[in-house]
Amino acid sequence: MTQYTNSGSKDTRSGFGEAMLELGRTNPEVVVLCADLTPSMKLEAFAKEFPERFIQTGIAEANMICIASGLTIGGKIPFTGTFANFSTGRVYDQIRQSVAYSEKNVKICASHAGITLGEDGATHQNLEDLGMMKMLPNMTVINPCDFNQTRAATLAVCYHKGPVYLRFGRPKVPNFTPAGQKFEIGKALLFNEGSDVSIFATGHLVWKALEACRMLEEQGISSEVINIHTIKPLDEEAVLASVNKTGCAVTCEEHQMNGGLGDSIAQLLARKYPVPVEMVAVQDTFGESGTPEELMKKFGLDTPDVVSAVKAVLARK
Amino acid sequence: MPTTEELQRIATQVRRDIIRMINGAASGHPGGSLGVADFLTVLYFEIMRPDPGKFDMDGKDEDLFFLSNGHVCPAWYSVLARYGFFPVPELGTLRKLGSRLQGHPSTFEKLPGVRMASGSLGQGLSVSIGAAIAKKMNGDKRLVYTLCGDGELEEGSNWEALMFAPAKKIDNLIAVIDYNGQQIDGPVDKVMPLGNLRAKFEAFGWEVTEMDGNNIEEVLNVLNRVKSLTGKGKPNVIIMHTHMGSGVDFMTDNHEWHGVPPTNEQAARALSQLQETLGDY
């Protein structure tokens, strides 16, 4: 299989923070809003270098989202920064009316998504955000897989006109995609060609999928690994082309099974090309406190879980 | 520049439009719409005087208005049409399938004059703050106006905005509270009393002015005075005392007219109290 090397583990949120600093330097219309989480969001450098374009809203996310919406009137490109939990459910109605329905060029940037937020526990571990955001008409939903991809995605969303939900995470994870890559919104990436099964993975689960692919190869199973960084719009062509070849699919995400990537792919396949599908995702439950590694294991989101899902789907072919 | 008398004539026609639109749609919110007709007339025809031919989303170098309590949009739609943003006969399409005049304001159908959807309450004040910040960042000296309901202040997110605007010295914003004392379930004082609203705003750091929102001359004078208070480091709010249903005797100060359309007979009675001044659509 194609070899991927971890060039040194880094947190995806730092990719966001680094890109924001670059955007601050290159685009005078970029404005950052943050609801009292500046260090966690890795926005300290931006706030220091561009204090006149950094808006501290305090712990008031509803106000933050609507201020961002108002800023677009006059041509600003606002990026809001808080945790996934406070970027979505807490402000769903504000996003729905003042951003999505009003077609405003707001970038909702959410860190600490999913279960790998870790020790803070279920109150902060949002596992529903992709579903909530993808259901909104006009909304683009992106969940990059490592530091380099998050950095590239952040730069790309600035130049995409329209509302975007950009989701990333807290822990240090392998950084294996190319530095300085070009990020194309809505374009799936083929990370490994295979013939027996299509593995569609997003976010932190992409590295797990590649590890699983390696283990499966040793057992004589050839898996195609496709990175779906853009949950919406889904690259339907890429999904259908791969499944047409392999005849089955496994989806992998750090999100509820309800409403996530697997849900989108199953819906597409049910309509266009029905094949067996297995999903590596959280099974309709809340998270809990623990280290990210412990939690990924406990909630069935680890490399062996991907391997088991592949075997299960192959048995159904 | 229109005289007070001319403004009054426009406001009366706006009230006729409101009754006819809501009767035609057999749904809508006449009470609040009638109450803000005078304010919106003065704001557009005398204070902001935007150029309808140059309408775009960014609204650079012009005053902006955001309606937060979107359900009173019949008054806004009428003022926009009468001012020249879109053809007056289009008012007859309110709330009908395929109309640009949605039940609550929307940008989706590209109605000129509307920059933000509203209806779900408690968002317009924050949106206006954002637009006011953008104006400051752009070196644009024009002002941002917004209208919120009194009952709407029960939405908690308003109080996030009320804290923010003075703290960040958003002094190019004039927020207007339509204080008609009525909401769907009854008088605001019974549903959820606002207490001493003036003292609350002052405690948060706002410059507070009060006015009678159904007296054209007073609206004109107060808006001009409050304009002169902008740019001094504090956001401005006008507590605008109005009468729900103002202009139609049997609707006045009656919360039951919040969201009920007049029947044909009631509409005829209402219209008999409102002289046709600019020609019905």
Side-chain angles (χ1 to χ4, degrees), chain B residues 2-275:
Chain B
T3 63
T4 309
E5 223 163 74
E6 283 164 340
L7 289 168
Q8 189 67 63
R9 282 163 57 81
I10 298 167
T12 302
Q13 185 66 49
V14 168
R15 286 191 164 89
R16 278 187 74 86
D17 289 346
I18 291 167
I19 295 294
R20 297 181 70 242
M21 289 162 77
I22 296 175
N23 172 248
S27 77
H29 301 78
S33 301
L34 290 167
V36 301
D38 300 312
F39 163 69
L40 289 176
T41 299
V42 174
L43 184 70
Y44 273 81
F45 284 83
E46 181 62 37
I47 301 292
M48 298 204 312
R49 301 167 67 89
D51 182 349
K54 282 192 187 158
F55 175 77
D56 66 13
M57 249 335 137
D58 283 347
K60 284 184 181 162
D61 299 314
E62 64 172 283
D63 290 340
L64 301 178
F65 170 70
F66 295 97
L67 180 67
S68 189
N69 50 336
H71 58 275
V72 302
C73 60
W76 192 26
Y77 291 155
S78 168
V79 167
L80 288 174
R82 296 284 171 185
Y83 192 83
F85 276 95
F86 55 86
V88 171
E90 203 172 335
L91 293 176
T93 68
L94 174 75
R95 288 179 169 247
K96 291 181 177 158
L97 193 65
S99 175
R100 296 195 293 179
L101 280 62
Q102 290 290 296
H104 291 84
S106 146
T107 59
F108 224 66
E109 293 76 19
K110 317 290 178 212
L111 184 68
V114 179
R115 291 190 170 86
M116 187 69 62
S118 62
S120 177
L121 299 174
Q123 303 187 27
L125 183 56
S126 300
V127 165
S128 304
I129 290 171
I133 295 173
K135 283 212 177 296
K136 281 175 175 275
M137 287 176 168
N138 289 337
D140 175 345
K141 298 291 182 206
R142 302 304 290 263
L143 299 175
V144 177
Y145 295 86
T146 184
L147 178 66
C148 308
D150 49 0
E152 183 179 10
L153 292 177
E154 291 157 18
E155 291 285 3
S157 59
N158 282 309
W159 300 87
E160 298 180 358
L162 291 183
M163 262 188 280
F164 181 97
K168 309 286 174 168
K169 299 185 169 54
I170 311 300
D171 59 4
N172 54 345
L173 169 71
I174 299 177
V176 179
I177 308 300
D178 179 20
Y179 204 168
N180 61 24
Q182 308 288 333
Q183 59 188 107
I184 294 180
D185 278 1
V188 174
D189 272 347
K190 285 202 174 140
V191 176
M192 183 51 63
L194 291 170
N196 189 338
L197 190 56
R198 183 186 187 102
K200 283 179 179 166
F201 272 108
E202 283 172 347
F204 276 72
W206 288 67
E207 186 70 42
V208 185
T209 305
E210 298 194 43
M211 73 178 177
D212 176 353
N214 294 130
N215 177 331
I216 292 262
E217 201 165 348
E218 183 168 333
V219 172
L220 188 55
N221 291 337
V222 171
L223 282 176
N224 274 318
R225 181 152 49 83
V226 173
K227 267 177 77 172
S228 73
L229 298 175
T230 59
K232 298 182 191 303
K234 285 170 91 172
N236 272 274
V237 63
I238 300 173
I239 299 176
M240 179 172 78
H241 299 274
T242 65
H243 296 281
M244 179 177 268
S246 155
V248 176
D249 58 7
F250 62 92
M251 291 184 177
T252 302
D253 294 330
N254 183 350
H255 71 85
E256 285 167 19
W257 285 102
H258 169 90
V260 180
T263 62
N264 289 343
E265 194 200 338
Q266 289 166 330
R269 251 175 81 202
L271 292 173
S272 74
Q273 302 170 24
L274 301 164
Q275 200 197 341

Side-chain angles (χ1 to χ4, degrees), chain A residues 56 63 76 93 97-98 102, chain B residues 117 120 123 126 138 160 168:
Chain A
Q56 170 63 264
N63 191 38
K76 300 298 157 198
D93 188 44
Q97 176 172 286
S98 292
S102 293
Chain B
S120 177
Q123 303 187 27
S126 300
N138 289 337
E160 298 180 358
K168 309 286 174 168

